[in-house]
Amino acid sequence: ESFYFIEEEHPLEKMLETELEKTIKSAIHTLPEECRTAFILSRYHDMKYEEMSHILGTSVGALKASYHHAVRKIEEYLTSDD
């Protein structure tokens, strides 16, 4: 006999997740355009660097640098005391 447990999401968890999403979106909007584009295409559209490179007409190295810069800036934004 199998038992399946469906864990309902607590309203507080949902609210905190929504707030975190808003904060991350705010952080993304502070990024320079090339960093923002690399981050969004990689994280939200699951694109590989080679594919982005072809579409954007830039090198894979430049995209990797932009992505990693974006991640550092988002981390700084999320951990700042402001």
Side-chain angles (χ1 to χ4, degrees):
E1 186 174 339
S2 296
F3 292 97
Y4 293 93
F5 296 97
I6 300 173
E7 186 175 321
E8 292 184 31
E9 188 173 20
H10 190 276
L12 180 59
E13 289 175 6
K14 186 174 176 100
M15 183 187 78
L16 291 174
E17 183 177 304
T18 302
E19 286 301 315
L20 179 58
E21 289 171 4
K22 287 179 187 176
T23 303
I24 291 171
K25 285 180 183 178
S26 294
I28 291 169
H29 286 292
T30 68
L31 297 171
E33 184 177 350
E34 64 276 359
C35 295
R36 185 173 54 247
T37 300
F39 185 82
I40 290 171
L41 290 177
S42 179
R43 294 294 290 178
Y44 293 103
H45 296 283
D46 202 27
M47 283 186 156
K48 304 290 182 216
Y49 290 118
E50 291 78 14
E51 185 179 6
M52 288 189 288
S53 173
H54 179 71
I55 292 169
L56 299 173
T58 190
S59 71
V60 170
L63 287 167
K64 286 181 178 181
S66 292
Y67 177 82
H68 291 289
H69 181 71
V71 170
R72 279 196 315 274
K73 288 295 192 183
I74 291 169
E75 287 174 347
E76 288 173 13
Y77 187 94
L78 294 175
T79 58
S80 71
D81 292 333
D82 293 343

